[in-house]
Amino acid sequence: MTSQDQPAATAPASPSLANRYGGQKRTLSGKAKRTILILALVAGMAFMAWISTSNATDTVTFKDIGYSTPDATLAEVDFQVTKEPATAAKCSVKALDSKFAVVGWKVVDIAPNAADAGSDGGRTTAHRATVRTESQAVSGVVDNCWIPDAAK
């Protein structure tokens, strides 16, 4: 075989890692690192401000205690409301039948309460709502509570 019959020899691959995988990645400059740090601090401060102001707004929570159905036209729902003592609230109470259909519904006004009552400074009060029903109810629950002035 002559040298003309052999295929042309290819250049051997360079063993250099830079040639194989590319050059070194550029690092962030000092200015870019400072900018990222400042943005992270601003975002953290904004998050903390949001948390502190969201906790300061008037909130109301409720807890179902029990229910009774004295007859086919009434349901009584017992519940607790926790709110600031000087604040009025409203709660929607509903009575349900065996298929979870609403058979009675009522909005109950929760008046401001005495600040010195109870172990929590008068924040939690117990209530009973009597709801008229169109058929026999098998359950009664509080659907929602809200501060009327805060809904505007």
Side-chain angles (χ1 to χ4, degrees), residues 21-151:
Y21 298 109
Q24 283 187 328
K25 304 295 183 214
R26 295 186 338 172
T27 60
L28 292 175
S29 68
K31 185 177 180 181
K33 288 179 184 178
R34 254 189 323 274
T35 303
I36 290 172
L37 179 64
I38 290 170
L39 289 175
L41 287 173
V42 168
M45 289 172 41
F47 178 72
M48 293 305 290
W50 175 72
I51 292 292
S52 64
T53 57
S54 67
N55 288 340
T57 59
D58 288 339
T59 59
V60 60
T61 59
F62 61 90
K63 179 181 179 183
D64 290 323
I65 302 298
Y67 67 91
S68 63
T69 53
D71 61 33
T73 62
L74 287 178
E76 293 177 340
V77 180
D78 296 321
F79 60 99
Q80 289 180 340
V81 175
T82 303
K83 61 177 181 53
E84 289 299 320
T87 306
K90 291 185 181 241
C91 293
S92 61
V93 180
K94 62 184 178 180
L96 306 172
D97 68 5
S98 60
K99 296 180 182 176
F100 302 105
V102 177
V103 293
W105 187 79
K106 181 179 185 178
V107 174
V108 179
D109 291 320
I110 311 296
N113 42 308
D116 58 343
S119 63
D120 66 349
R123 290 181 47 83
T124 302
T125 54
H127 302 274
R128 173 173 281 177
T130 302
V131 180
R132 294 196 176 274
T133 61
E134 59 187 37
S135 63
Q136 180 69 45
V138 298
S139 178
V141 295
V142 177
D143 187 47
N144 193 14
C145 288
W146 65 95
I147 306 294
D149 297 333

